[in-house]
Amino acid sequence: MSTSQGNEEREHAAYDFAYVQEKWLPVWDELTPFKSGRADDARPKKYVLDMFPYPSGDLHMGHAEAYALGDVIARYWVQKGFNVMHPIGWDEFGLPAENAAIKRNEDPRIWTYENIATQKASMRRYACSFDWDRVFNTCDPEYYRWNQWLFLKLHERGLAYRKDSAVNWCPGCQTVLANEQVVAGLCERCDSAVTKKKLNQWYFKITDYADRLLDDMQQLEGLWPDKVLTMQRNWIGRSTGANVQFVIEGRSEPISIYTTRPDTLYGATFMVVAADSELAAELAAGTTADKDFKAYVEKIKADSDIDRLATDRPKSGLFLERYAINPVNGEKLQIWASDYVLADYGTGAIMAVPAHDQRDLDFARAMKLPVRVVVETGEEDPSETGIATVGDGTVINSGSLNGLNKAAAIAAINAQLEKDGLGKSARNYRLRDWLVSRQRYWGTPIPIIHCEKCGEVGVPENQLPLTLPDAAGLDLKPKGTSPLGAATAWVNVKCPKCGADAKRDTDTMDTFVDSSWYFLRYPSSTNNDEPFARKDIDTWLPVDQYVGGVTHAILHLLYSRFFTKVLGDMGMLSFNEPFTRLLNQGMVVMDGSAMSKSRGNLVRLSDELAHHGVDAIRLSMVFAGPPEDDVDWSDVSPSGSVKFLTRAWRLSGDIASAPGVDFTKGDVTLRKATHKALNDAGIAVETFRFNVAIARVMELVNATRKAIDSGCGPADPATREAVEAIAIMLSLVAPYTSEEMWERLGHKPAVARAGWPTVDPSLLVDESVVAIIQINGKIKERIEVSPSISDADLEKQAMAHPVIVEELKGATILKVIARAPKLVNIVINS
RNA sequence: GCCCCGAUAGCCCAAUGGCAGAGGCAGAGGACUUAAAAUCCUCCCAGUGUGGGUUCGACCCCCACUCGGGGCACCA
């Protein structure tokens, strides 16, 4: 630590950030100001969590922003006297590591652990307020054994199951993908066009939780960004309607269709079944249409998702030469097969009401099928305009439903169908079960043994973790089947139940399994007896504040919510939403677009840190604008941040009073500025307006500079109070500078634990305020009044003011609005 | 095509329905200096995308539109 003489020597030197960084890091290592959960810690808890990184290289600008923002929140609550747990770990399984391993021809662990070491060192230098004692790696067996344990628990509960299904297949990665990992028909990892493949795969039954995932979002209202809640609602996509039974000529069983518009049942003019469904194949079998049908199915199989998603795609289909009977009027309806009906939604069959559904109308017009209007909406005839009338109206041509509006007709027809045993109300979801198996090496092995006699047998718990076979000797290149299959010594085992020869499941789990419960692990990160201890969970969870990118709005957050509910049902925890508050930070872009090497606009974090120092980069990130907005690095000025920090730092060398001086004896004007800044900055931080909080600190720095140079002077206690407040507020964004200031002010480290000064409410009120006097909304005069003046007194003063009296001469006063102590508005006719 | 968010000074951004400017960047001038840098001081700049409406009063609320960003997109 510097001597006072050393301080003097440095007094007028420029602020040397490199020196200061090197100076304080070892001190903080020693003091561990952010260690959470000491046994004797009586402070109330606060769990602040940043989304954990993937170790794909060194930290980049995006990390710098995210961690700067998360750190403001974590450090603020520490200053406010909370026992803050702010942990970090690494999310390591997945394709980047595996692809790097293939390229380098080595074990993915090597690349992974190298990158972790790099990132960890960068985080330490970046002065993140992480609790380093809680770190874990998801690729360590000590972690992923609990993925396996959870998988087995889900399997026991029927929530993990295998089925044959047409799944998303990425030809680039040579693996299946979850629905959530297909973005606009492309693989989210490698941008290959995703195709369909019929495979037997593992699923988690997230659809069982669709209603709870939807309904529990009510409690997140106002605490999560609306955008994320909307995206999740859309993704789950609950729709309500009815299933209706249609008798089929020549078939013993009726076909059930799903519709959201049972009120238009009389308007059904044909039926459509999904061309790729078993139902379609069965209906076509034996008819003269069968040959054409098979050809049609082959044709649509060749279409990629991209083709299917094209908006102007013409409708295609084929008449199956079969007929259905409309249950309400006995009409004979043609049954068609088409790819615009999805096999895995609803029942895979629909009644087509072309007058009131655009897709059905497009199809009817293409195939020359009849259109019948059964809802009078006042719009033109759909069969002429080609535009279906989908809105509300009066039901016509519909027997007993005639004259009703949409809602009444739906209620009436549902009741009638139910009574006649022909249908009942139903719900459907866009959400599909979560496909969790992957045909790749670098993931958690699925802990299932396949036995010819016993079927799927879970690996006994006492044999967990089931570790990955050594990568050496395995060909990791993607080839459509798991590389684990080649590890014969690993694959061939005895059935734990019957002892017969059996084989291990060779697929690995989707890496999103790892991150779906990791936030539960931090409080128990060193516990090797269970995934998490109930006592720790009850102490720390749920997460009070989660910070991360909006890219995870659906995937990770939905899966985490699902896991939380499942674990709740298992009695392992007692809350139903894992993340109480969520902040989505924006991205860091350059010249308006995402940074990339190929675009040539990549800014290297390490370069920025070398040029401007950690504090200036953190400050620039936080001050750039509202946290949820993108930061355009070409708009921010790290050198401006350096300038401000230097200016603040210099104040600390100018203070002439001693630590502990009685602030109440200080200059009132500056004291008011200090307390207002503390008050406003605190509110701004709590409402995520960090840029505003910094503006308040800048104001106080300016006011203090002025007070020292030409006001109450450096010896006044108020200047010390102000600079100490600045150091504490600045500690949220500029840990090095503020620590240095704190020392120069005569205090011992760490400023991070100094405590947010208590705001004196009496210093927040002004003795007098300026009230404005308006006539017809235009400002005519300003007067100084007491802040506690009454409306009546303010009005009296305003009306008596000479300027106003003059203005009002000859006018008729219509109304006077007084809003003490801010303004009086006199309305006159002019 | 549908839904959501945004638009304030040359730029980034502030403003419980009540004086449009908190803060910063950039710019201009000055002080200090042999000079430069650094520092300090002072100053400049818009009436809030467009058109209506509500109100005593609108950046703020309502309607329509323009532009920008994001999400969803055959889910019956």
Side-chain angles (χ1 to χ4, degrees), chain A residues 9-30:
Chain A
E9 273 167 24
R10 305 184 55 79
E11 190 87 6
H12 298 289
Y15 172 68
D16 179 355
F17 66 78
Y19 164 81
V20 170
Q21 286 172 202
E22 289 315 308
K23 171 177 164 187
W24 289 113
L25 275 177
V27 177
W28 294 335
D29 287 346
E30 192 72 23

Side-chain angles (χ1 to χ4, degrees), chain A residues 261 340 350 352-362 388-390:
Chain A
R261 293 293 302 277
Y340 88 92
I350 63 152
V353 186
H356 308 298
D357 182 279
Q358 190 61 48
R359 297 152 301 190
D360 295 346
L361 182 59
D362 293 343
T389 57
V390 298

Side-chain angles (χ1 to χ4, degrees), chain A residues 9 52 83 168 243 273 298 310 375 449 463 501 568 636 654 738:
Chain A
E9 273 167 24
F52 63 167
N83 180 13
N168 301 306
N243 285 331
V273 296
E298 282 312 306
V375 180
I449 292 164
Q463 291 176 24
D501 285 345
V636 307
D654 291 344
S738 57

Side-chain angles (χ1 to χ4, degrees), chain A residues 242-246 255-259 262 265 327 417 422-424:
Chain A
N243 285 331
V244 184
Q245 310 288 332
F246 281 66
I255 288 177
S256 177
I257 61 96
Y258 174 70
T259 178
L265 195 44
L417 289 169
L422 293 170
K424 59 172 166 188

